[in-house]
Amino acid sequence: MDRSSLLQLIQEQQLDPENTGFIGADTFTGLVHSHELPLDPAKLDMLVALAQSNERGQVCYQELVDLISSKRSSSFKRAIANGQRALPQDGMLDEPGLGVYKRFVRYVAYEILPREVDRHWYFYRHRSCPPPVFMASVTLAQIIVFLCYGARLNKWVLQTYHPEYMKSPLVYHPGHRARAWRFLTYMFMHVGLEQLGFNALLQLMIGVPLEMVHGLLRISLLYLAGVLAGSLTVSITDMRAPVVGGSGGVYALCSAHLANVVMNWAGMRCPYKLLRMVLALVCMSSEVGRAVWLRFSPPLPASGPQPSFMAHLAGAVVGVSMGLTILRSYEERLRDQCGWWVVLLAYGTFLLFAIFWNIFAYDLLGAHIPPPP
């Protein structure tokens, strides 16, 4: 029986004869079993949880229709959150007989989502197609580019010290600001093996699970927003410096995830969360420290300024603002949230300011930038 037939059956059975706007959960459950309706188990779980959230054990008729119609479940989640009970806390953890992939999906659910109802909803409706291709593709492209330049230059660390490295059309250089693509493509270039390894590891460990839960569009938007904010921030605050590496996007993902964990600390059930957060902060801080050291105290003489560390900080700001809004909006449309439009307006204002800065400020301030390679 398809969805339209199910809705028609609900109406024909007159489950709400008195037009109260509510129907009994037991009545609907009996209808499902008697007609062998192919209803998603997660939806039945949500119906039971919703019925438990009020004293009369009833479900709002319109919310039921919305759920059957596969509309966004924000109304259900609000109703459950306002009630006294929710889905069983240990249901998914104790579920036996799962294959390797479903165990990984369950791990991702507990790693990313702070609420049990969201974990159930994601776990039961998750499909392996489409796979999380964005973060995997970006990481693969960065590795390929690094290997190509490493083999060509015969240099695998401190590549920016090689005179031919900065001539790449992918690197952002203040002398090539008119080539707008460089504000994004610098994410494919890296200082050396240590920076590539750090970024690739975080992109796969944090970015892939985030993409599995929140989807390609949202995570790619967050990552690219961090990358673009990184180069534009450098062009404003460190006008002489070039930029290489995907740290702006990586820090946007990491800071968004860590902020989401902190704000939902009680609900997050990922193992060793305190230890993992401390390790993540130590790794991120050490990466920023390394970038600051290379910028102001380079170990070798260089023909010009070394890449700036401001992209890391800009990515972190994007993650805490835009990213946190995205991660807190699982199964809810971003366009329906006032906070999303505020963040988007702030980011758009920053972009406009940065564009005008790059067009006019360098000449007005008489900035002495190193000649482009």
Side-chain angles (χ1 to χ4, degrees):
M1 179 178 294
D2 58 19
R3 185 180 297 113
S4 61
S5 301
L6 176 57
L7 292 174
Q8 183 179 0
L9 177 62
I10 292 175
Q11 296 171 353
E12 291 176 353
Q13 293 289 328
Q14 296 183 350
L15 300 182
D16 184 23
E18 298 179 0
N19 295 321
T20 62
F22 292 87
I23 62 173
D26 293 338
T27 302
F28 177 73
T29 303
L31 179 68
V32 170
H33 292 304
S34 62
H35 290 78
E36 297 182 353
L37 301 179
L39 191 60
D40 192 321
K43 294 184 178 181
L44 283 177
D45 286 343
M46 294 185 72
L47 278 173
V48 174
L50 186 59
Q52 291 174 344
S53 67
N54 63 78
E55 297 179 354
R56 297 179 296 176
Q58 293 180 329
V59 180
C60 175
Y61 180 82
Q62 185 57 50
E63 290 177 343
L64 171 62
V65 173
D66 289 345
L67 184 61
I68 301 302
S69 301
S70 295
K71 294 185 178 180
R72 293 277 181 173
S73 56
S74 57
S75 59
F76 266 74
K77 292 196 295 182
R78 285 196 299 269
I80 294 173
N82 293 333
Q84 299 299 319
R85 302 175 65 185
L87 292 173
Q89 293 297 307
D90 298 325
M92 273 174 46
L93 281 177
D94 296 338
E95 188 165 349
L98 297 178
V100 175
Y101 180 74
K102 289 300 288 185
R103 288 179 180 274
F104 177 67
V105 172
R106 182 175 61 182
Y107 164 79
V108 168
Y110 278 95
E111 182 76 14
I112 303 299
L113 296 171
R115 300 179 56 201
E116 191 69 18
V117 64
D118 289 339
R119 296 175 192 135
H120 274 74
W121 187 240
Y122 167 74
F123 180 78
Y124 284 112
R125 81 182 193 113
H126 174 76
R127 300 292 182 270
S128 58
C129 186
V133 295
F134 176 75
M135 292 311 310
S137 299
V138 168
T139 304
L140 180 61
Q142 290 171 340
I143 294 174
I144 292 175
V145 170
F146 178 81
L147 292 177
C148 290
Y149 276 91
R152 175 184 172 187
L153 305 176
N154 194 25
K155 192 173 183 64
W156 304 96
V157 295
L158 299 177
Q159 290 184 338
T160 53
Y161 289 86
H162 196 287
E164 295 295 321
Y165 182 83
M166 299 304 291
K167 293 182 180 180
S168 170
L170 302 178
V171 173
Y172 166 79
H173 189 280
H176 290 310
R177 300 187 313 280
R179 302 174 183 178
W181 70 84
R182 291 175 178 253
F183 284 93
L184 281 175
T185 57
Y186 77 91
M187 70 180 185
F188 296 108
M189 307 292 290
H190 287 82
V191 172
L193 185 61
E194 71 286 353
Q195 186 189 28
L196 173 67
F198 177 83
N199 288 347
L201 181 64
L202 288 179
Q203 285 172 179
L204 295 178
M205 291 185 61
I206 296 180
V208 170
L210 286 176
E211 186 179 347
M212 288 178 62
V213 173
H214 295 283
L216 182 148
L217 291 178
R218 293 190 179 194
I219 298 306
S220 62
L221 173 63
L222 174 59
Y223 185 87
L224 294 178
V227 170
L228 184 58
S231 56
L232 290 175
T233 300
V234 170
S235 70
I236 296 172
T237 61
D238 198 358
M239 299 170 66
R240 290 172 47 84
V243 191
V244 295
S247 297
V250 171
Y251 274 63
L253 296 176
C254 292
S255 59
H257 177 58
L258 293 180
N260 189 45
V261 171
V262 171
M263 294 191 65
N264 299 281
W265 187 261
M268 300 300 296
R269 304 191 64 194
C270 45
Y272 309 109
K273 56 185 176 183
L274 180 59
L275 175 62
R276 295 167 65 185
M277 174 162 293
V278 171
L279 290 177
L281 291 175
V282 169
C283 291
M284 294 172 67
S285 300
S286 63
E287 171 65 13
V288 173
R290 184 194 64 84
V292 173
W293 171 63
L294 288 177
R295 176 67 180 89
F296 295 111
S297 300
L300 297 173
S303 58
Q306 288 301 293
S308 176
F309 60 91
M310 290 302 297
H312 300 69
L313 305 183
V317 172
V318 169
V320 173
S321 56
M322 179 183 293
L324 188 57
T325 305
I326 291 176
L327 299 192
R328 294 178 64 186
S329 304
Y330 176 72
E331 274 301 314
E332 296 179 42
R333 288 186 293 263
L334 290 175
R335 66 172 181 265
D336 293 338
Q337 303 181 61
C338 179
W340 167 248
W341 293 108
V342 173
V343 171
L344 206 59
L345 177 62
Y347 189 80
T349 303
F350 165 74
L351 289 183
L352 288 177
F353 172 79
I355 291 173
F356 280 100
W357 179 277
N358 278 273
I359 295 175
F360 301 108
Y362 280 76
D363 293 333
L364 292 176
L365 297 176
H368 298 287
I369 60 176

